[in-house]
Amino acid sequence: MSIEQDVKAAATRAREASHELALATRAVKDAALIGMADALIANQDTILAANAEDVARAEAGGTEPNIIDRLRLTEDRIAGMADGLRTVAGLADPVGEVVRGSTLANGLELRQVRVPFGVVGMIYEARPNVTADAAGICLKSGNAVLLRGSSSARSSNAAIIDVLRDAVEAAGLPADAVQAVPGDSHDSVKALMRARGLVDVLIPRGGAGLIRSVVEESTVPVIETGVGNCHVYVDARADLDKALSIVMNSKTHRTSVCNSAESLLVHEAIADEFLPVVIEALQGAGVTIHGDDRFTEYDGVQTATDEDYGVEYLALEISAKVVSDLDEAIGHIRRFSSQHTDAIVTEDQTAARRFTAAVDSAAVLVNASTRFTDGGEFGFGAEIGISTQKLHARGPMGLPEMTSTKYIVIGDGHTR
Amino acid sequence: MSIEQDVKAAATRAREASHELALATRAVKDAALIGMADALIANQDTILAANAEDVARAEAGGTEPNIIDRLRLTEDRIAGMADGLRTVAGLADPVGEVVRGSTLANGLELRQVRVPFGVVGMIYEARPNVTADAAGICLKSGNAVLLRGSSSARSSNAAIIDVLRDAVEAAGLPADAVQAVPGDSHDSVKALMRARGLVDVLIPRGGAGLIRSVVEESTVPVIETGVGNCHVYVDARADLDKALSIVMNSKTHRTSVCNSAESLLVHEAIADEFLPVVIEALQGAGVTIHGDDRFTEYDGVQTATDEDYGVEYLALEISAKVVSDLDEAIGHIRRFSSQHTDAIVTEDQTAARRFTAAVDSAAVLVNASTRFTDGGEFGFGAEIGISTQKLHARGPMGLPEMTSTKYIVIGDGHTR
C-alpha cells in the first residue's frame, strides 16, 4: 500500500473507534485514563530505552542541546505524563453537556449538547510528552486521535503509543482510538491533511513554519495554535513598579513559550522616568533590546526594524518603542500583534476599558503578565494548545474546546 | 489594478471598518438596521428596476423558471427583506456577552466575552434577499461583510448594497462595513478565498458544487453550510400515523431546501403494514421512490442504487430501504447521511435514546419532521445558514454563531 492508503486506512480505523468512544461513559473513559497512567509507569524502562535511541540519534546528528533537552525523557518526566493523565481523569466529561435548551412555542423540546469531533489529527514537534497529553485529552473528550510527532522522537512516541493502546484496550475501549500516523515522511503528513471526511480536525503544535504549512495545505479543518508576538504596553498612568515586574516576568520568566512578551510599548509621558529603569533591568537579565530612537539613546540598545516588531523571538530579546498615546499603542498592536496575548499596565480605568475593547487578541490583560495565558493558569486542568484563530476556539483550549455540538429535538409527531 | 488587488483593497477597507464596528454600541447598530430597512422600502423602485435587468438577462439566457422565480424581486419580497432587518434590530446583541467568567485562585479576574470575527466573506447563489439578510446579521454581530452573490443577480445585488451602504453611513457607521466583492469573474472569488489575514471567515451558501470548491480552495477558514441528505427512520415501535405525517411533511412540505428528507428507512417488523400506506401517500403526492427489493415489490417503485442513497435530490424523489433493526438503520445513516438532520419515529424510549446518541448529525430528531432544523423554527430570529461542519458552529447559525470570543484578564500587578 502507498503511504496515502496507509494513512487512510488508519483514519478509517480511527473513525470506527470514534463511534464506540463517543458512546463510552465517563466511568469507562476515566478507568482507561488511570490505566494509561499506570501503564506509563509500569513500562517506563521500555519507554526510556526507546527515548535513549532518539537522543543518541539526535546527538549524533548534531542537534542543538536545548532541542535535545526537550526530547529527553526521565523517570520524572514520565511521572509527569502519568500525573497529567490522572488529572484529565478527574476533570468533568464535556460530552453530553447541555449547552443550551428550551421548549419551543409548538412544544418541541430543543437541546444543544456537546459531542466529540470524532477523529482528531495532532501534528507536533520534539517533546514526546505531548503524545500522552494529547491522547488523554482526546480520549476524555471522546475523540479518536491520530498522532504525528516529529521524526526525531519517533522511537519514544512509538513506545508511548504502544503502551497507551494496550491500556485503552484493557479498559474495554478500542485500541485504535489512539494511533500513530503511519509513515515518517512528509507524504504521510500530506495524506493526513487531505483526509477530509475521515479526519474532523487537525491541530498543529510547533513552530510558525509547521503551523503555516498545515494551514495552507490542509483541506481538513485546522485549529491554528501558538505563534505569540505578545505586547506589554506601559500606559501614561501605569504604576511603574507593577510595570517593571510585569515586563520582566512577561519577558524573562520563560523565553521559549508562546505567551512570553516580545515587544514593549511605553507612553511618552513616562518614558524619561521608566526607560532607564526598564532598560537596566532587561539588560541586567541578559535581554537584548531592539528599540526606536528614544530607546537607542541608551547604551547597548540596538535599532529596531519593522521586522523586529513583527517577530516572535522566543529568546532573551525584545523590541521596544515609545508611543505618543494609547491610540498609537493600539494601532501598533493591530499592525504587529499575532493576536495571542497583549497587556496594558495602567491605573486608568478608561484606558484599561478602551484597550481591552479595541485590542482584538485571544487574551487581553490589564496589570498582569502575558505569561498567564495558559490553560493551567486559567484553571482548565488540561490544555491541548492555545488557539490563535477566531473560528471555534480562541485562547487556551481545554476539554470543552475539543468538542462540537449537536441539536437533539424531541417531538410527539410534530410537522410544519 | 488586478482583480486580486481590487479584492485585497476592499478587504483592507472592510478590516478598517470592522475595527469601528466592533466598538459600536447596540443602539447605534440597531439604528443603522432600522435605517437600512427604511431605505430598502424608500428605494424599492430603483431596486426593482435593477432586478428587472437581471430577470430579463436570465430569461434571454434561457434560465429555468424556478431559478428565475428565486431571482425575481417584488414589493412584497423587498418588504420581507426590510422586515428581516427590523427583526435583527430587535435581537440581543451577541457582542460583549460574557460566555464564562471566574476569579482565579490568585485573584485574577477572568472573563470570556463574545467579540466579532472581524471581516466575513459571503459567497452565495441566486436569491438577492440573501444580500440584505447577510448584511443585517453581519452588522448586528459587529462584522464587516464582503458580499459575493451570483453574477445572475449582479444588478439587484449592486442596487441593494448601494442602498444599504448609504443607510449605514447615515447612521454614523462606516459604509465599508457592507461591500460587494469587486469583479464578476471566478478570479475575484479566488482572491477572496486567498485573503487569509484580511478575511476572518468565509461562508458559502448554495449548491454542493459551490460549497465543495470553497472548502477545497480556500485558505481562509470556512463554515460549510447546507448540503442535506436527511433521513427519516420509522422504527419497529413507531406510531404509524405520526410516521406517515412526519415522512410526508419531511419530504413534500418543501423539496428544494436542505432540511427536506431524501431517504426513508423502515424497520422490517412494520414493513408489511407501513409500506403500502407510505408508498401510496408518497406516490399520490407525486414523489418518485427509489427503493430496495422490499419496496420494489410495489408498483411504480424504482430500484435504488448506492448513488440514490447518497444523493440530495431536492426534488419529489426519495430513496427507501427496509432495515432489520435499529443498528442497521444507524449504520446506513452513518454511511450515507450528510450529517445535517436525521429523524427517528418511535414510541420506544430506549430506541430514541440510542438513536439520538449514536447518530452524529447537526440535528437529531425524535417524532418530528426534518423540516424543523431551521434558525427560525429554533427561535433564533435570524439565520445566516445551517452549518454541516463540526468546527465552530453546527446546525442553524444565528447571531452568537457569528462571533468569536476573547479572554479579558484583570489583575493588579500579577506575575508568575
Side-chain angles (χ1 to χ4, degrees), chain A residues 100 117 196 224 242 249 356 359 362 364 366-367 371 390 392 394 401 405-407 411-413 416, chain B residues 100 117 196 224 242 249 356 359 362 364 366-367 371 390 392 394 401 405-407 411-413 416:
Chain A
R100 56 179 164 180
F117 285 127
R196 193 178 174 92
E224 199 176 342
K242 292 180 191 171
N249 188 259
T356 55
V359 171
V364 187
V366 179
N367 294 334
R371 289 279 292 125
K390 291 188 179 170
H392 186 74
R394 199 171 186 213
E401 285 73 22
T405 59
K406 70 179 172 194
Y407 286 99
D412 191 29
R416 281 178 71 177
Chain B
R100 56 179 165 181
F117 285 128
R196 192 177 174 93
E224 198 177 341
K242 291 180 192 170
N249 188 259
T356 54
V359 171
V364 187
V366 179
N367 294 335
R371 290 277 294 123
K390 291 187 178 171
H392 185 73
R394 200 172 184 210
E401 285 74 22
T405 59
K406 70 179 172 194
Y407 287 98
D412 191 30
R416 282 177 72 177

Side-chain angles (χ1 to χ4, degrees), chain A residues 15 19-20 22-23 100 102 104 106 108 110-112 115-119 194 196 200-201 215-216 218-219 221-224 242 245-246 249 253 259 334 339 347 354-369 371-374 377-380 389-396 398 400-401 403-416, chain B residues 15 19-20 22-23 100 102 104 106 108 110-112 115-119 194 196 200-201 215-216 218-219 221-224 242 245-246 249 253 259 334 339 347 354-369 371-374 377-380 389-396 398 400-401 403-416:
Chain A
R15 177 151 300 284
H19 294 147
E20 204 169 321
L23 299 174
R100 56 179 164 180
S102 61
L104 304 180
N106 58 10
L108 277 179
L110 181 71
R111 272 175 298 155
Q112 185 183 24
V115 295
F117 285 127
V119 179
R194 296 275 151 186
R196 193 178 174 92
D200 294 291
V201 58
V215 162
E216 301 256 318
S218 180
T219 56
V222 174
I223 300 181
E224 199 176 342
K242 292 180 191 171
S245 62
I246 287 169
N249 188 259
H253 180 254
N259 60 11
R334 275 191 185 145
Q339 300 184 280
E347 299 298 310
R354 172 148 173 81
F355 187 87
T356 55
V359 171
D360 185 23
S361 298
V364 187
L365 289 76
V366 179
N367 294 334
S369 166
R371 289 279 292 125
F372 283 109
T373 304
D374 174 89
E377 293 295 325
F378 280 11
F380 295 174
Q389 71 178 29
K390 291 188 179 170
L391 218 59
H392 186 74
R394 199 171 186 213
E401 285 73 22
T403 63
S404 182
T405 59
K406 70 179 172 194
Y407 286 99
I408 296 177
V409 186
I410 312 287
D412 191 29
H414 284 67
T415 56
R416 281 178 71 177
Chain B
R15 178 151 298 284
H19 293 148
E20 204 169 320
L23 299 174
R100 56 179 165 181
S102 60
L104 303 180
N106 58 10
L108 276 179
L110 180 72
R111 271 176 297 156
Q112 184 182 24
V115 295
F117 285 128
V119 179
R194 296 276 150 185
R196 192 177 174 93
D200 294 289
V201 58
V215 162
E216 301 257 317
S218 181
T219 57
V222 173
I223 299 180
E224 198 177 341
K242 291 180 192 170
S245 62
I246 287 169
N249 188 259
H253 181 253
N259 61 10
R334 276 192 185 145
Q339 300 184 278
E347 299 299 309
R354 173 147 174 82
F355 188 88
T356 54
V359 171
D360 185 23
S361 298
V364 187
L365 289 76
V366 179
N367 294 335
S369 166
R371 290 277 294 123
F372 283 108
T373 304
D374 173 271
E377 293 294 324
F378 280 10
F380 296 174
Q389 73 178 28
K390 291 187 178 171
L391 218 60
H392 185 73
R394 200 172 184 210
E401 285 74 22
T403 62
S404 182
T405 59
K406 70 179 172 194
Y407 287 98
I408 297 177
V409 185
I410 311 289
D412 191 30
H414 285 66
T415 56
R416 282 177 72 177

Side-chain angles (χ1 to χ4, degrees), chain A residues 167-236:
Chain A
V168 168
E169 199 156 33
L173 291 172
D176 284 334
V178 180
Q179 291 180 74
V181 176
D184 213 27
S185 65
H186 185 66
D187 285 349
S188 82
V189 178
K190 227 167 175 166
L192 186 64
M193 295 192 295
R194 296 275 151 186
R196 193 178 174 92
L198 288 173
V199 178
D200 294 291
V201 58
L202 271 188
I203 304 177
R205 262 180 73 171
L210 168 73
I211 291 164
R212 198 179 321 112
S213 85
V214 173
V215 162
E216 301 256 318
E217 292 179 42
S218 180
T219 56
V220 173
V222 174
I223 300 181
E224 199 176 342
T225 67
V227 175
N229 180 14
C230 306
H231 295 73
V232 177
Y233 164 58
V234 181
D235 187 45

